[in-house]
Amino acid sequence: MRDAMASMTGPAWYVYRDGRYSPFVDTTPWWDDPSAARLVLLDDGRYVDANEAAIAMLGVDLEGLRSATAGDFTVPEFRQMVPWIFELLRETGELHSTSMLRPHGRPDQPIEYHFLRDGDGPGRHVSIMRPVPVEAVRVVPGR
């Protein structure tokens, strides 16, 4: 959909961080819903807390989650981006993107996530996620 501020007349150009328009972010902020899957991570990437929805999505219990670090539930093609994502979070304070979740004992699941620096207090970052159609996530080898 063309944004009225794109141009007064003539062609309009859009640039998207992930290289294409996402229809999944043009609604009310789903990440504000208290029932959304929510994870808490420390600066070093260790998981320290999660709600029941996140535990169910990952296919682990809280103890199993606490023995994992960021990237352990991500397909290898996306796992290599974890350090870069944490650096972006430090710089910007908030991220919104897609990834491919690798839950224990279940098939890979495309997700959309919203990541907030210090969302659960200083040094406690919150990642809120939800399943999305596979078309929303594109694996780019070597990226």
Side-chain angles (χ1 to χ4, degrees):
M1 176 182 334
R2 182 184 177 118
D3 187 293
M5 294 300 292
S7 85
M8 298 305 232
T9 60
W13 288 85
Y14 294 87
V15 177
Y16 300 102
R17 187 193 69 95
D18 289 329
R20 64 188 192 273
Y21 165 75
S22 172
F24 307 107
V25 296
D26 288 344
T27 61
T28 57
W30 58 266
W31 53 89
D32 289 339
D33 182 340
S35 68
R38 184 177 186 271
L39 299 163
V40 179
L41 300 91
L42 300 180
D43 286 328
D44 63 4
R46 285 182 296 131
Y47 293 103
V48 292
D49 203 4
N51 66 6
E52 288 183 26
I55 294 292
M57 279 183 76
L58 297 174
V60 296
D61 58 16
L62 189 55
E63 184 179 324
L65 177 73
R66 288 180 174 157
S67 66
T69 58
D72 287 352
F73 301 101
T74 310
V75 297
E77 298 86 348
F78 285 91
R79 192 174 302 141
Q80 64 190 1
M81 293 188 283
V82 169
W84 176 72
I85 288 169
F86 266 84
E87 183 60 31
L88 278 176
L89 182 65
R90 279 189 284 280
E91 290 175 10
T92 65
E94 189 170 8
L95 299 174
H96 190 101
S97 193
T98 58
S99 188
M100 187 67 79
L101 190 67
R102 180 153 288 167
H104 285 251
R106 291 198 310 274
D108 293 348
Q109 170 68 58
I111 62 161
E112 177 181 23
Y113 67 91
H114 196 83
F115 206 5
L116 300 167
R117 183 182 64 216
D118 302 331
D120 194 50
R124 294 175 58 93
H125 316 299
V126 174
S127 180
I128 305 107
M129 58 187 177
R130 69 174 178 170
V132 293
V134 71
E135 299 82 33
V137 179
R138 185 176 69 196
V139 177
V140 180
R143 197 173 151 204

